[in-house]
Amino acid sequence: MEIIRTVDGLRKRVAEARANGKSVGLVPTMGALHAGHISLVDRARKENDLVVVSVFVNPTQFNNAEDLATYPRTEEADCAKLSQAGVDIAFIPSVEEVYPEPDTRVFDLGSVAEVMEGAMRPGHFNGVAQIVSKLFAIVEPDRAYFGEKDFQQIAVIRRMVELEGFKLQVVDCPICRESDGLAMSSRNTRLTPEQRQIAPAIHRAMHDSLEFARTHTLAETKAHVVNEINGHPQMEVEYYDIVDPLTMQSLENWNDAVNGSPVGCITVYCGKVRLIDNIKYNLQ
Ligand code: PAF
């Protein structure tokens, strides 16, 4: 595996591969890699000749300085995992390389970016659009891979792709879970052993609500999930919203979703660690 730290170096290397007729898959990450990321890499490996993984903790998407400062950085271990997974290129630039000047672009991301994470983390999705659009412009991948744990992020990225006219396929990949159901996340390493033990209650409550939902209204189901989780010490739900899978808009009734099954999206503080997860209500 090659490690490339400059934008020019990456452009040249990808252009070479393209000139040889190779397809290119990109997996954008912020490092602290776990099996969830590797599942994206595996999919990219199957579908492309050249696989590029970016490892970059993007400052413009953090609306909280402490969160940015404490975000786990594990470059050596990340490179070992990527190399083992058969990645061709790890792109690991510095902040100055990516942002030689402040990125002042403001994307018109519309209503998909205004709710849930967009409402709780002002500027977050604009920052995601800035870095992902830069990566797309540098790599010009045929396909780019994102995990469904960040369900709303995928909708926002699709919107940015449409706005910017990128010709590529956004591939969404299923959430990877630990054996006790906790969604894999780089933030899980920040949980204390006690918090790590209770954190699977998030997925358990959502999963159990699939059955509950069959005989209850959407509002009752939301309240049920929130009460279940808040009943645990150290856990506090920030929001639990059940939304249309394309528009991300909040639903009032189960059959209001016009673009597929309703999706429940949750954010929970487990101590100081902010965890997110989601689940599909396939009620047919
Ligand atoms: O999902 C993430 O890890 C980040 O938001 C992404 C897409 C790599 C952009 O920094």
Side-chain angles (χ1 to χ4, degrees), residues 28-30 56 58 61 128 131-132 146 150 153:
T29 82
M30 296 205 300
F56 179 65
N58 172 40
Q61 71 187 75
V128 170
I131 184 61
V132 175
F146 298 91
D150 297 295
Q153 172 172 274

Side-chain angles (χ1 to χ4, degrees), residues 182 198-207 229 235 266 268 275 277:
L182 179 64
I198 54 173
I202 301 169
H203 175 62
R204 206 177 317 124
M206 289 200 294
H207 187 262
I229 297 173
M235 298 244 259
I266 201 159
V268 180
L275 300 174
D277 202 345

Side-chain angles (χ1 to χ4, degrees), residues 7-248:
V7 169
D8 276 357
L10 181 61
R11 266 192 216 283
K12 280 197 192 108
R13 182 64 186 80
V14 175
E16 232 171 69
R18 257 197 204 298
N20 291 326
K22 293 192 173 174
S23 60
V24 181
L26 171 68
V27 183
T29 82
M30 296 205 300
L33 303 178
H34 49 68
H37 295 109
I38 301 305
S39 74
L40 307 183
V41 170
D42 289 344
R43 175 96 184 256
R45 188 63 288 167
K46 282 198 190 97
E47 297 178 351
N48 302 277
D49 300 316
L50 186 86
V51 175
V52 180
V53 177
S54 60
V55 176
F56 179 65
V57 181
N58 172 40
T60 72
Q61 71 187 75
F62 284 81
N63 58 322
N64 174 325
E66 193 192 338
D67 195 19
L68 172 61
T70 57
Y71 200 86
R73 286 157 170 91
T74 56
E75 185 180 312
E76 212 174 304
D78 290 346
C79 286
K81 287 177 189 162
L82 295 177
S83 169
Q84 166 85 18
V87 166
D88 299 295
I89 298 172
F91 177 51
I92 314 183
S94 65
V95 172
E96 297 70 32
E97 181 67 20
V98 175
Y99 297 112
E101 286 148 30
D103 191 338
T104 53
R105 290 175 300 159
V106 177
F107 291 81
D108 175 17
L109 298 169
S111 52
V112 287
E114 281 162 11
V115 293
M116 300 192 290
E117 291 302 277
M120 293 299 160
R121 303 180 67 189
H124 167 65
F125 283 134
N126 197 63
V128 170
Q130 288 175 339
I131 184 61
V132 175
S133 64
K134 270 183 186 270
L135 292 169
F136 286 178
I138 299 165
V139 178
E140 297 184 58
D142 297 282
R143 297 172 199 85
Y145 297 80
F146 298 91
E148 278 182 347
K149 183 172 73 67
D150 297 295
F151 189 73
Q152 188 181 7
Q153 172 172 274
I154 299 179
V156 170
I157 290 169
R158 288 191 197 284
R159 165 82 180 158
M160 180 278 288
V161 164
E162 195 182 290
L163 282 174
E164 300 293 296
F166 287 113
K167 300 275 177 282
L168 57 88
Q169 191 190 341
V170 172
V171 183
D172 45 337
C173 304
I175 300 179
C176 286
R177 298 187 180 280
E178 303 290 354
S179 56
D180 56 14
L182 179 64
M184 288 186 186
S185 164
S186 306
R187 291 170 198 267
N188 293 351
T189 57
R190 286 208 228 144
L191 297 167
T192 64
E194 193 193 339
Q195 291 164 348
R196 175 64 190 81
Q197 277 227 308
I198 54 173
I202 301 169
H203 175 62
R204 206 177 317 124
M206 289 200 294
H207 187 262
D208 291 352
S209 79
L210 296 180
E211 201 47 46
F212 184 90
R214 296 191 176 278
T215 50
H216 293 82
T217 66
L218 188 147
E220 287 165 346
T221 305
K222 272 193 342 193
H224 180 71
V225 169
V226 172
N227 291 337
E228 268 302 304
I229 297 173
N230 283 348
H232 289 268
Q234 303 198 55
M235 298 244 259
E236 188 166 1
V237 175
E238 187 177 48
Y239 65 78
Y240 186 45
D241 221 342
I242 300 179
V243 302
D244 179 281
L246 268 192
T247 65
M248 300 294 125

